[in-house]
Every structure is written in structure tokens, then in C-alpha cells.
Amino acid sequence: MQHSLTTLTTLVQEISGAENAMSAMQVIVARLSHIMEVPVCSLYLKSPTRSKLILAATQGLAESSIGKIKLSIDEGLVGTIAATKHTLNLANAPAHEKYAFFPQAQETPYRQFMGVPLIHLRQLIGVLVVQGTAKKPFSQEAEAFLVTIASQLAGTLYNIQKSGEWITTRKPKRLFKRYSGIAGSAGIGIGELTPLHTHIDLKQAPEMQGAGISKERKQFDSALDSVRDDLDLGANRIEKELPEDILSLFGVYRMMLESPELLDSTRDLIAQGCSAQWAVRETALKLASSFEQADDPYLKARGEDVRNIAIKLMTQMARKEQTESPDKTTPVILAGELISIADLSAYPSDQIQGIVCRSGSALSHTSIVANALGIPAIMGVSDLDIKRYKGKQIVIDAGRGEIIIAPPEEMVAEYQRIKDTEQQFNQSLAGLKDLPAVTTDDFHVSLFTNTGLLADVSPGLRNGAEGIGLYRSEIPFMIHDNFPTEEEQYLVYKEVIDAYSPRPVSMRTLDIGGDKQLPYFDFKEENPYLGWRGIRFTLDNTTLQVTQLRAMVRAAHGRENLKILIPMVSRIDEVKTIKE
């Protein structure tokens, strides 16, 4: 909850910029509902001609009750606040002796109640109320904030209340809707919501019988070619805007697209009579689960890449790929179940003002690319109906992980101001990124980045990271269909070590076991979290251990920045064996 003077000032500015009295009051209740993180905020104003309190605006209660709920002074909880000019803060409002029930308000779920009087020049203007579902009073901090807000707004509301316009003016429609998600890439974006691939849902796709093995296999092979071409075309379009390591994601997608696990399993299901689309869907869900079983959130996020490839293949086979050419001037917020780097390459990067995904996490490739391009991104907005809001102006606030649909002009203007201020601040920091992180009393703080893909290297370097604190070496193993060779590992490790030289790079040897399984190496044990994993697994597979260590040492030849981290060590002899 925000308590700064800036919050109060911004709210007053929004009210003053409203078109009419009703809009101003709706801004108040909507903004306070958001700031205080409560489901209900209501404003009651005193009639200028009668001793009645009238519900003038609400966020959370039934809109039909606006103007209909009227209370005498000292009637109900609101009337009691007006009569005593004193705050009420209750854990269970219906249990209070002065509680009055209004069925049309639909407030049954809200027992938590707090109301404060609005007073200007000793005159009662009205009552401001917030309600919640918790079974406890609001905190003292929240009470102090609402009292402060009321004192600030009383003068502004005095003119509205005195005019009486709010009694006869038709109430406006609800101004906006909010949805919450996971911040993937920081920043604020304002643009037109543009859906991508919204007709494909892996989880709910219906099972379809094939039209014949030959026909379904041909359709699958054709889709493979189309997606492969799209990846190549996307890489060519965007190569000038992204560093080489980020562009390597196109290679990751292509590797997944051509992996034997995907190809063989899909063709086997087609041979069993399944449709090509269903075969891709089943195969992708199975492969993705091998990543998603991991406790490590970074590895878990790799399942999204498999799902993304499946969605692109199924989209090609459904022949519903977006046909209309995107307007190259309209600022857009791209939205979909998952969005890949190939999807982003279809638009100029300066046109994309934000990304919204119903699935995904802060460690997804979408987030990585968005960070590299400086595009705000919000992931995991599972309850957003993307097709419903197609073409609507939206604001995404990735700092809060929030999406605002059809915001009022005043809110858009405020977010634009915040965005401009943040850009100016970041530009002012750009000249400091290469300076050492030293406090004013000369204490040095080491700032390192964590990574596991070449694509992650660029953001850390760009923002002044002093090295890599943890490089997860499991990724090359998990995207192969067998143990990668020494040469394959060497090439990957060398790029990372060279990119950060002379900064230190801590590479963790293979941490497999327990929650981290390889699709081509199956093993089980009763208690994998304490047993055969990490160092014990690799020591029992000596060839694998030696191969990886050789690749790391070779990659660091001529450099002095490699550090090797050994996972899950439990005994001294394990360290001695590794050193030997």
C-alpha cells in the first residue's frame, strides 16, 4: 500500500482532470480500492438539500445501488460515522448493533469494514468506506492512511457535494479492469492489445482422429518446414537489434523443433492413428513435464519453450496463422498463451510496448528477450480473456505485475508521466554501470548474475555485473537427446567464459537427480533429495564427470576467470575425488 505525498497529489490531479462529477468520484473509489488493496471502496455524500447520505460512487458493490442507497444521519454504520464524525474500524460489520443491510448492494461477503468522515470547514461532506473479506480490523497503518486521504479529499469533494450534480448525472460505466500476473521484464507499457495464437490451447485442445497416416504425417512435415522457415526469417529480421547470445534462442527453438524426442514420438502417435495436431500436443506435454518436474525455477521454465514450439506447429496445421499485416505505427501490447522470440520478430521492436502471457514465468525465454529489448512483460495472467479485449487500449505495469484494461485518460497520462520519469532515471544511471559498487564508507559489494543459457549473458554485462555467481550447466544436457559431447559443452562454456573475461565465472557441474531428471537417463530412488544426486551421481558416472570438467578447463584455457562449483557435497572424500 502506498502512503507517499506523491500518491495523494496524483489522486487529486486525476480528480481535477475528470470530465464531470461522476467520473471524478469513480476515479476516487477505483484508485483507492487499488492503492489499499481492498475489493470494495464506496463514497457516500450528504445531500445538499436533505439530511440524507446517498451512495454516490462505488468500486466493488453493485453499480445499480448507486443513488439508490440512502441513509439518515445516525442510520447504519455510515450514518453513525456521520453523526459522531468519528472513524469506525470493524472486523465483523454485520455483528455491530448499528449495521443496516441493503440486499441490492450485494455486500454479504464483506465483513471487514472501515469508514471515515469527510469534513470541510467543520461541515460534514460525506463518508468514505472501504470493505474487505478478512476477519480482522484494518491495520492502524491503513486507518491512518484513509484518514489522511479523507482530509485531503474533503475540500475537493465539497464543491461536488454542494453542486448536487452528482444526484442527477447518469453514472458512468465502470472505468477499467485490472488483472494480476508475474513481472517478467520491468517497465510500463501503453498500447493496443494485440492477440497472438489465441485459438490454440494445449491443455484444452480436443482429441482428433487422424485422416490417414500418410496425410497426417505430410501435414506434420509441412508444419515443421513452415516453422523452421519462420525461425530463420525471424532471426534475419531481428539480428541487428539483439546481441548474438540472445539470437542463439532461435537456435534453441530450432534444436527443440528437430529433436528426436519431438519428431519420433509425434510420428509414432500418428502411426497409431492420431491426428498430427493431437500427436504434437501429447508429445509436447510429455516433454514439457520433464522440465516442469524440476524444483529449480529456471529449469522449470524451459518447459514453456517446448509448449511454444508445439503451439507454433499446431497453429501452422490449423492454418489460422495471423494473415493481416500488422500496422507498423500503432503501439501494441502483444498478448497470448505464450509468446516466442519468433513472434516478436514480426514487429519493429520500438512498436512493441509490452508483452502479456497467460502462462510463463519470470525466467522464461520471453522474459529474457523482453529484458534484452527493454520491453515490459507480464507473465502468468491466467484469468485474462485475451480475445475479449482485442483492440482495447491497455496499460501494463510490470513493476507491480498488473494489467489495466481500458484505463481512463487521466490514468494513462499519469502512467505516461511515470514511464518518462523512469526512462530519464535509467539514462542517468547508464554512466554509473561500469563503476565499482562501493558504499559511501568504502565497502565493496560484489554484484553477480545467475545464468544457464547464452541468451542470459547480455543483460548481466549490459547492466554492469561483475561476474557470474552461478552458471547452471544442466541446460545443455536437458535440451539434448543424449549426453552432450565434450566438444559441444566446450563451445557453450567458452562463449560464456570469453564474454565475461576477466570477470569471474562460477560454473556448477551437472546437478542431476531428485527433482532434475534427464529425458534420456531414467533412474529412481526412494529419497532422491538426499541420495544419489549432484556430486554422487557424477562421481558414479566418472566418464561424464571427466568429460564435463575437461570441457570447462579447456574453455577457460588462456583465461584466469573460471571457478568450478560442486553441488550437493556431503563428505570430504567427494571433494578430494573431484580434485584428483
Side-chain angles (χ1 to χ4, degrees), residues 62-84:
E63 291 185 8
S64 59
S65 63
I66 295 175
K68 303 290 180 60
I69 295 181
K70 302 176 182 180
L71 303 101
S72 300
I73 303 299
D74 201 35
E75 179 185 359
L77 298 176
V78 173
T80 300
I81 294 167
T84 62

Side-chain angles (χ1 to χ4, degrees), residues 39 41 121 170 173 241 330 352 397 402:
C41 179
L121 300 177
R170 182 176 60 87
K173 294 181 180 179
E241 301 178 50
T330 303
I352 304 173
D397 183 348
E402 281 191 341

Side-chain angles (χ1 to χ4, degrees), residues 74-291:
D74 201 35
E75 179 185 359
L77 298 176
V78 173
T80 300
I81 294 167
T84 62
K85 296 183 175 63
H86 184 68
T87 299
L88 270 183
N89 188 357
L90 306 173
N92 187 8
H96 194 278
E97 60 181 1
K98 298 291 288 187
Y99 178 76
F101 179 62
F102 295 92
Q104 67 268 40
Q106 300 176 12
E107 62 177 334
T108 305
Y110 311 114
R111 296 182 174 275
Q112 190 182 31
F113 175 98
M114 179 165 61
V116 299
L118 292 160
I119 300 172
H120 179 67
L121 300 177
R122 303 183 184 179
Q123 298 297 313
L124 177 72
I125 307 303
V127 175
L128 190 59
V129 173
V130 292
Q131 293 173 264
T133 56
K135 297 178 180 179
K136 60 181 180 180
F138 285 92
S139 68
Q140 293 299 305
E141 181 186 28
E143 182 175 330
F145 179 68
L146 194 62
V147 169
T148 305
I149 283 283
S151 67
Q152 291 284 325
L153 294 181
T156 303
L157 288 168
Y158 170 72
N159 293 326
I160 294 176
Q161 181 261 344
K162 185 178 180 181
S163 70
E165 291 180 13
W166 53 279
I167 297 177
T168 56
T169 304
R170 182 176 60 87
K171 67 180 184 296
K173 294 181 180 179
R174 181 168 292 180
L175 294 180
F176 53 84
K177 288 185 176 290
R178 293 181 184 271
Y179 293 89
S180 297
I182 302 164
S185 175
I188 291 171
I190 303 170
E192 182 180 291
L193 190 144
T194 304
L196 294 177
H197 314 306
T198 51
H199 57 282
I200 297 292
D201 186 336
L202 286 184
K203 293 181 180 178
Q204 298 181 7
E207 183 173 1
M208 296 176 286
Q209 290 299 313
I213 295 175
S214 177
K215 185 175 180 179
E216 295 295 334
R217 182 160 181 170
K218 184 177 180 180
Q219 186 183 39
F220 174 59
D221 290 340
S222 177
L224 280 173
D225 291 338
S226 295
V227 173
R228 192 181 293 114
D229 291 343
D230 284 349
L231 292 175
D232 291 342
L233 181 61
N236 292 332
R237 280 180 185 154
I238 207 169
E239 63 180 346
K240 293 181 180 179
E241 301 178 50
L242 286 172
E244 184 177 345
D245 50 1
I246 301 291
L247 282 171
S248 68
L249 282 177
F250 283 101
V252 172
Y253 283 131
R254 183 155 184 164
M255 186 175 359
M256 290 181 173
L257 185 68
E258 297 173 344
S259 67
E261 291 85 2
L262 176 67
L263 299 179
D264 294 347
S265 179
T266 300
R267 286 169 178 155
D268 286 346
L269 288 173
I270 290 173
Q272 295 172 26
C274 294
S275 69
Q277 286 194 57
W278 183 256
V280 167
R281 182 250 190 203
E282 290 292 282
T283 299
L285 291 179
K286 182 179 179 181
L287 290 175
S289 69
S290 68
F291 286 100

Side-chain angles (χ1 to χ4, degrees), residues 33 35 235 284 301 318 387 426 444:
S33 173
I35 292 170
K387 288 185 279 190
N426 289 334
H444 179 263

Side-chain angles (χ1 to χ4, degrees), residues 471-487:
Y471 178 85
R472 302 175 178 90
S473 68
E474 293 80 33
I475 302 299
F477 287 81
M478 298 192 78
I479 62 177
H480 278 67
D481 60 320
N482 50 36
F483 290 115
T485 65
E486 179 182 325
E487 192 66 19

Side-chain angles (χ1 to χ4, degrees), residues 545-565:
Q545 180 78 81
V546 171
T547 298
Q548 184 173 39
L549 290 172
R550 281 178 54 85
M552 288 181 177
V553 173
R554 283 181 58 208
H557 182 66
R559 309 287 191 184
E560 301 294 332
N561 61 329
L562 173 65
K563 296 183 178 182
I564 296 177
L565 177 64

